[in-house]
Amino acid sequence: MKKSFFAVAVLSMFASAAQAESSVTLFGLLDTGFNYVSNVKSPEGDGKSKFSFAGASMQGSYWGLRGTQDLGSGLKAVFALESGFDVNTGYQLQNKKIFGRQAFVGLSSDFGTLTIGRQYDSIADFVSPLTASGFTSQSTTDGRWAGSYAAHPGDLDNFNNSRRLDRAIKYTSNNYQGLSFGGAYMLDGEPGHFSTYQIWSAGVGYANGPVSLGAAYLNAKRPASSYFWDEGQAGKLATNPVYGDYVNAKTLQIIGAGGKVDLNGLSVGLNYSRTEFKDSAIAINGGTITATPIFQNAEANVAYRFTPGLVGLVAYDYTWTNKINENKARYHQVTVSLTQALSKSVSIYGLAAYQRANGNYASGKPIVAAINGADPSTKNSQTLVNAGLRVMF
């Protein structure tokens, strides 16, 4: 009869240190590129073209450590530390946290893995790898190939892994013939409170042969303080052109699902999300109304491997909202990319994205285009062209 996860954990405390085997791996990624972005706000106030270096073109740069230690009887201690930074300036990202991407420790056994710390939620774990902007491995020859600029407007559904959970308890199952599942719960962290700022998520995934599927749910209370505040965007929240007027909602709810099929070098993917900012206080004409803005998003992406190292991708994304104060918003975006792997860990790439926005914000003002990761447009359309170099280690 197998021992339970927690029984093994207790017994392992008395295991001989001489029998323990441990390993620590240093890993990371450096990504830099050159951008052209149209219709960016200038000191004169008009939309101007902007040329600049970009320190997170395809993926954000980071370095980290991950390790395991064998405790015996099938039990292992695990940990991971990841630090994000801008390769062009050396500045730390994720609101200048030392290990702002991830920092956790836990135990792993035949029953799965239980970890505690700063971690990704289930949306990022189970749905993100199926999108045009998600990545599935530490390799230039595997994953999706459109980068953060292909993320949905404002990455409001977190399919591009922009946000993490602090003080989180997370469970991830083992792989059962392609099936995996898991969930995470972020503690409140405020004295005298238990659930005022809590976040919880759960998801399930299936990958077997050419088919990969995933679905997840996330619920965040007081998202302005619990979910959006610490990713280096806190100062931009009030003016975020996509969802900035709604982050003071009482509850944020995200439902996401996706899938892809890989056949003979051709990969076809579809994904969908529904993001609700429940009970938002929205300023309109000097007054305030309470409403629930709902963003729905549908994406289709097609990737083709021309050679073992050359991959092209085309993705189309459509985002639409419900009617708030007789106003609705629509975003259309097309992204294309071409990536050439020079080795398993080094690649060069080029991509282009075009977004067009239609409609009005809840306040009645015309919406503007907002390609994720780029300066917001002053108009309802925006074009971005990028070329870069990515090195993994």
Side-chain angles (χ1 to χ4, degrees):
M1 181 177 180
K2 289 185 177 181
K3 299 177 182 178
S4 71
F5 183 92
F6 294 103
V8 173
V10 173
L11 291 174
S12 69
M13 296 179 184
F14 303 96
S16 171
Q19 297 177 345
E21 296 182 1
S22 62
S23 66
V24 177
T25 301
L26 172 67
F27 64 95
L29 180 147
L30 301 174
D31 187 356
T32 186
F34 190 78
N35 270 2
Y36 160 83
V37 185
S38 69
N39 297 335
V40 175
K41 185 176 181 179
S42 68
E44 294 80 19
D46 298 325
K48 301 292 184 180
S49 297
K50 178 180 178 180
F51 295 87
S52 65
F53 285 106
S57 299
M58 187 67 74
Q59 289 176 272
S61 298
Y62 61 88
W63 71 274
L65 298 169
R66 67 168 68 95
T68 64
Q69 182 170 333
D70 190 350
L71 302 176
S73 301
L75 187 69
K76 294 181 179 180
V78 298
F79 77 88
L81 301 170
E82 287 187 35
S83 179
F85 61 93
D86 184 330
V87 70
N88 291 319
T89 63
Y91 290 157
Q92 288 181 325
L93 302 179
Q94 289 81 48
N95 210 23
K96 299 183 180 180
K97 293 187 175 183
I98 296 177
F99 296 110
R101 288 176 63 96
Q102 291 196 95
F104 64 80
V105 64
L107 297 171
S108 177
S109 79
D110 293 339
F111 298 93
T113 302
L114 188 68
T115 50
I116 299 174
R118 179 171 170 83
Q119 306 174 75
Y120 291 111
D121 58 47
S122 299
I123 296 284
D125 287 343
F126 293 100
V127 186
S128 174
L130 305 172
T131 69
S133 62
F135 281 81
T136 58
S137 75
Q138 189 75 3
S139 169
T140 61
T141 59
D142 188 22
R144 314 307 284 163
W145 296 275
S148 59
Y149 297 130
H152 307 156
D155 194 26
L156 56 91
D157 51 21
N158 204 37
F159 279 16
N160 192 232
N161 309 349
S162 296
R163 291 166 282 279
R164 285 88 170 167
L165 307 183
D166 286 340
R167 306 176 302 276
I169 301 172
K170 182 175 179 178
Y171 170 77
T172 305
S173 77
N174 290 332
N175 189 306
Y176 300 102
Q177 296 182 337
L179 179 68
S180 60
F181 53 89
Y185 178 80
M186 189 184 92
L187 300 177
D188 188 289
E190 289 291 327
H193 299 271
F194 180 75
S195 61
T196 303
Y197 302 107
Q198 74 174 12
I199 300 175
W200 68 274
S201 66
V204 60
Y206 176 79
N208 197 346
V211 178
S212 298
L213 302 170
Y217 172 84
L218 180 137
N219 185 289
K221 293 189 175 180
R222 309 291 180 183
S225 298
S226 65
Y227 199 55
F228 290 106
W229 73 274
D230 75 335
E231 298 301 331
Q233 343 174 33
K236 299 180 182 180
L237 286 179
T239 58
N240 184 287
V242 179
Y243 55 78
D245 291 341
Y246 314 134
V247 293
N248 62 1
K250 290 184 179 179
T251 304
L252 172 72
Q253 177 178 275
I254 303 174
I255 301 171
K260 69 183 180 76
V261 178
D262 298 304
L263 293 171
N264 299 322
L266 177 67
S267 176
V268 179
L270 297 171
N271 58 79
Y272 167 83
S273 68
R274 179 185 174 96
T275 304
E276 299 184 15
F277 292 86
K278 294 187 174 182
D279 298 322
S280 295
I282 305 170
I284 295 177
N285 298 326
T288 301
I289 66 170
T290 300
T292 298
I294 299 173
F295 290 79
Q296 297 187 75
N297 188 279
E299 176 197 308
N301 56 75
V302 178
Y304 184 73
R305 189 180 296 277
F306 297 97
T307 69
L310 180 63
V311 178
L313 180 139
V314 178
Y316 169 71
D317 180 67
Y318 176 51
T319 304
W320 68 99
T321 69
N322 60 331
K323 185 180 291 187
I324 301 293
N325 194 36
E326 300 302 317
N327 296 299
K328 297 187 293 185
R330 301 286 187 270
Y331 298 87
H332 300 266
Q333 180 168 322
V334 176
T335 306
V336 296
S337 72
L338 194 64
T339 301
Q340 174 65 61
L342 305 179
S343 70
K344 187 176 177 61
S345 59
V346 180
S347 63
I348 55 177
Y349 58 84
L351 65 89
Y354 174 79
Q355 185 182 108
R356 186 172 184 84
N358 298 298
N360 299 294
Y361 299 111
S363 63
K365 295 181 180 180
I367 67 172
V368 296
I371 294 175
N372 186 65
D375 293 326
S377 176
T378 59
K379 302 178 181 179
N380 71 334
S381 65
Q382 188 170 49
T383 300
L384 179 146
V385 179
N386 171 264
L389 170 68
R390 181 177 52 165
V391 178
M392 298 177 175
F393 62 88

